[in-house]
Amino acid sequence: MIDAPEPKTRSLVDEYCLQLGILLERRTTQLALIASKEQAQRAAALAEEAMRQAQEADRAKTQFLANMTHELRTPLNAIIGFPKSSRPQRGRPTRRSTRAISAMPACTCSAS
C-alpha cells in the first residue's frame, strides 16, 4: 500500500471554517455571560428590595412593641401598685405615714 502524504498546510477554506467556529463560540459565550450578568443584576435588585421591606417591617415591629409595652405597663402598674399601697408597711415608717401621724391632734386626755 502506498500511503498518500498528508498535506502539511491547511487549505484556505479549512482555516476560514476554523476561525468562524472560534468566533461563533466566543459570541455564544459572550451572550451567555451577558445573560448571566443581567440575571445577577435582577437578583441583586430583588434582594435590595427585600432587604428594604424587611428593615421597614422591623421598624414597624419595634414601634408596635414600644407602644404596646407602654399601653400595657401603665394599667398594670396601677393594678400591681394598688395592693402594695393598701398593705400596712412593716418596719420603718414611710414619709406618708409620718405625715399622717404628725397631722393627728395630740391626745388631751389625762391618765387618772
Side-chain angles (χ1 to χ4, degrees), residues 17-109:
C17 288
L18 180 64
Q19 291 297 321
L20 185 59
I22 291 171
L23 289 174
L24 286 173
E25 285 178 16
R26 284 184 187 168
R27 182 64 182 160
T28 303
T29 303
Q30 182 184 21
L31 291 174
L33 288 174
I34 290 170
S36 295
K37 180 183 174 187
E38 289 172 353
Q39 184 180 8
Q41 288 172 337
R42 284 191 301 271
L46 288 173
E48 286 176 15
E49 177 63 20
M51 176 65 82
R52 187 192 63 74
Q53 288 177 355
Q55 289 171 341
E56 187 177 322
D58 185 56
R59 281 191 295 275
K61 177 200 68 160
T62 301
Q63 183 65 38
F64 172 78
L65 289 176
N67 289 340
M68 287 309 297
T69 300
H70 174 73
E71 295 297 324
L72 290 173
R73 189 176 51 226
T74 304
L76 285 175
N77 284 342
I79 293 168
I80 293 169
F82 179 74
K84 285 182 181 177
S85 66
S86 66
R87 274 191 255 156
Q89 297 292 324
R90 293 183 185 159
R92 218 169 128 197
T94 62
R95 187 177 292 168
R96 181 184 288 170
S97 64
T98 307
R99 273 194 228 136
I101 292 171
S102 64
M104 289 182 178
C107 180
T108 56
C109 43

